[in-house]
């Protein structure tokens, strides 16, 4: 039932029932501008999607999902290339009250098998080219529906959705209800699904809207993949909650991104996007004159990149820190000297804890450490997830007795409250903004014929920040070829997880307990000085 009480300021009429509905889609839609025919998304091919188009398209896909008559909390797993339609499927999943599960298109079939087994989705959406293989994998595992969606607006999902009404009442959701599951790999090699609720997503989006000073007329260049927190939530929610147009890049290309800046005000990227743009001669003050805000995160932004960007463009990058499990945690100030934001942005730090977030640094015995001391970063707040999907023991391990989530990042808080990340307690490296857990890849390499043992370390890299190096011991009497090992690995795991270099050796450095000394390996396989950032 719709209670017919109209409220204005935005383009979509809101009923009282919807005002009480904590579905994050309802809040995003309420921020659509009054002029529903204004552009919401513009693609590089010249396609323009109005706010009305988003409203109607999400309604049609949500009606299709409703018609499947799925139980609440059913998962919709989506592995498709980035496109505006893929974003529509995300929004429609929220709208229908189902749970969105984004999967990077780089994931190979062994990785997909695991996600489908673990998440048990009711619906899988994939590209037509992969339908044969994926539908076989999915149906064996009990998936009920497999639809296709391609980045040229074709596929069975849109064909079926076109038969449905373009009017849809969003499903009622409470803040604690599940909205999305994001898989993060783990130190034990098994990925864990971080369960994010409507309340987690909405609270973080609202905090960032205020903190980053989103304002009327802002235009976002959307250049990141939409499989992960940065591109899917921080960027999309930021623009939609502000009624801002997105200039949509299906794939980041530095020169084109710089060219788009003349029509934009906000850009978000991982550090690799910034270093690649710095390598372009077209990046200068004039090209960035209309820009208001450059946000960086997902991996450490080198001080050198921060400074070079200032020199070349006159803009100071705002670095922030977050995780799949927690959404955004800290941010450098937007308003220097503004209320609650005491000083200017500082390179080499990830800024201050966001409003509503409690952040502390703990020692090895779990006790809180004083200002300036280095320890494990722990957080608690409205954006912090409830736990890992169907892994209560893992969830219990990652939270303290008083409910703080142990991030696995190591850092300190200085006297002004700025947080710096100095390392990680988890064995992980970040390559071009993607996390790679050596344990997961070592498992795959150890299973290759002739391999006795593998150790993988992350080493500095000028383009990706860090890349992997694999060091392999063959089984007795076997001759292994390093290039062949990497070629085989490419068929098994996402390309970004494949080490860029591989060495076959007789032995690995070990400590007295027989444990591989990865710090020694890292030093030994450090790239030449001119290849490091
Ligand atoms: C691609 N390759 C990578 C890679 N991306 N290798 C290591 N690390 C990466 N990130 C592989 C390709 O498969 C290819 O290998 C080779 O490296 C060269 O690829 P490329 O053409 O240079 O890559 P490109 O397609 O341009 O992609 C690079 C990139 C992309 C930086 C644009 O990786 C990217 O969009 N990264 C952003 C990731 C992101 O959104 N992270 C946010 C996570 S959320 P081959 O073998 O095929 O030749 C999160 C929380 C938070 O962390 O706080 O935000
Ligand atoms: P993910 O699991 O993909 O969400 O990645 C989260 C991890 O990315 C964090 O635990 C950090 O290690 C890292 N990270 C995110 N933002 C930053 C940043 N600004 N600086 C350093 N590391 C970051």
């Amino acid at each position: 039932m719709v209670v017919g009480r109209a409220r204005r300021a935005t383009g979509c009429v809101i009923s009282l029932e919807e005002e009480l509905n904590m579905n994050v889609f309802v809040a995003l839609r309420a921020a659509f501008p009054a002029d529903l025919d204004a552009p919401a998304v513009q693609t590089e091919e010249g396609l323009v999607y109005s706010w009305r188009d988003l409203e109607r398209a999400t309604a049609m896909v949500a009606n299709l999902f409703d018609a499947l008559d799925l139980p609440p909390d059913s998962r919709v797993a989506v592995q498709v290339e980035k496109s505006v339609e893929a974003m529509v499927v995300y929004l429609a999943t929220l709208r229908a009250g189902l749970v969105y599960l984004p999967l990077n298109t780089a994931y190979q079939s062994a990785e997909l098998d695991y996600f489908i087994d673990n998440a048990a989705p009711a619906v899988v959406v994939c590209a037509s080219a992969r339908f044969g293989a994926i539908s076989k994998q999915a149906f064996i595992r009990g998936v009920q529906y497999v639809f296709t969606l391609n980045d040229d607006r074709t596929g069975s999902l849109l064909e079926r959705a076109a038969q449905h009404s373009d009017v849809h009442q969003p499903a009622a959701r409470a803040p604690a209800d599940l909205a999305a599951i994001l898989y993060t790999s783990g130190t034990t090699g098994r990925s864990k699904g971080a369960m994010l609720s409507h309340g987690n997503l909405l609270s973080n989006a609202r905090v960032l809207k205020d903190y980053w000073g989103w304002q009327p007329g802002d235009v976002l260049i959307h250049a990141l993949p939409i499989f992960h927190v940065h591109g899917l939530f921080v960027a999309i929610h930021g623009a939609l909650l502000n009624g801002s147009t997105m200039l949509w890049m299906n794939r980041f290309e530095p020169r084109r991104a710089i060219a788009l800046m003349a029509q934009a005000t906000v850009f978000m990227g991982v550090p690799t996007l910034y270093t690649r743009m710095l390598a372009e001669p077209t990046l200068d003050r004039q090209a960035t004159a209309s820009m208001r805000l450059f946000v960086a995160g997902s991996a450490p932004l080198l001080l050198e990149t921060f400074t070079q960007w200032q020199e070349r463009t006159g803009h100071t990058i705002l670095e922030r820190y977050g995780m799949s499990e927690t959404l955004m945690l800290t941010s450098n100030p937007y308003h220097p000297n503004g209320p609650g934001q005491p000083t200017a942005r500082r390179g080499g730090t990830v800024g201050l804890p966001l409003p509503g977030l409690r952040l502390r640094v703990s020692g090895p015995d779990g006790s809180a450490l004083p200002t300036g001391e280095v320890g494990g970063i722990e957080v608690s707040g409205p954006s912090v997830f409830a736990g890992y999907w169907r892994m209560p023991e893992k969830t219990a391990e990652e939270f303290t007795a008083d409910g703080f989530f142990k991030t696995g990042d190591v850092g300190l808080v200085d006297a002004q409250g700025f947080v710096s990340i100095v390392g990680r307690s988890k064995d992980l490296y970040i390559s071009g903004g993607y996390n790679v857990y050596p344990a997961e890849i070592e498992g795959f390499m150890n299973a290759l014929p002739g391999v006795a043992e593998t150790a993988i370390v992350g080493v500095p890299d000028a383009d990706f920040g860090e890349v992997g190096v694999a060091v392999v011991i063959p089984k007795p009497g076997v001759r292994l070829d390093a290039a062949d090992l990497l070629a085989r690995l490419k068929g098994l795991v996402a390309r970004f997880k494949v080490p860029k270099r591989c060495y076959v050796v007789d032995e690995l450095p070990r400590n007295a307990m027989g444990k591989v000394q990865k710090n020694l390996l890292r030093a030994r396989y450090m790239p030449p000085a001119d290849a490091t950032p």
Side-chain angles (χ1 to χ4, degrees), residues 224-225 228-230 251 270 272-273 276 298 320 322-323 328 431-434 464 490 495-496 500:
L224 286 164
H228 305 282
V229 163
H230 201 162
R251 193 171 182 280
V270 300
T272 300
L273 270 51
R276 289 189 179 184
S298 309
R320 92 313 177 268
M323 288 184 80
M328 296 306 102
S431 184
Y434 285 136
F464 291 123
K490 282 183 183 174
R495 291 281 176 107
F496 65 81
K500 300 290 182 211

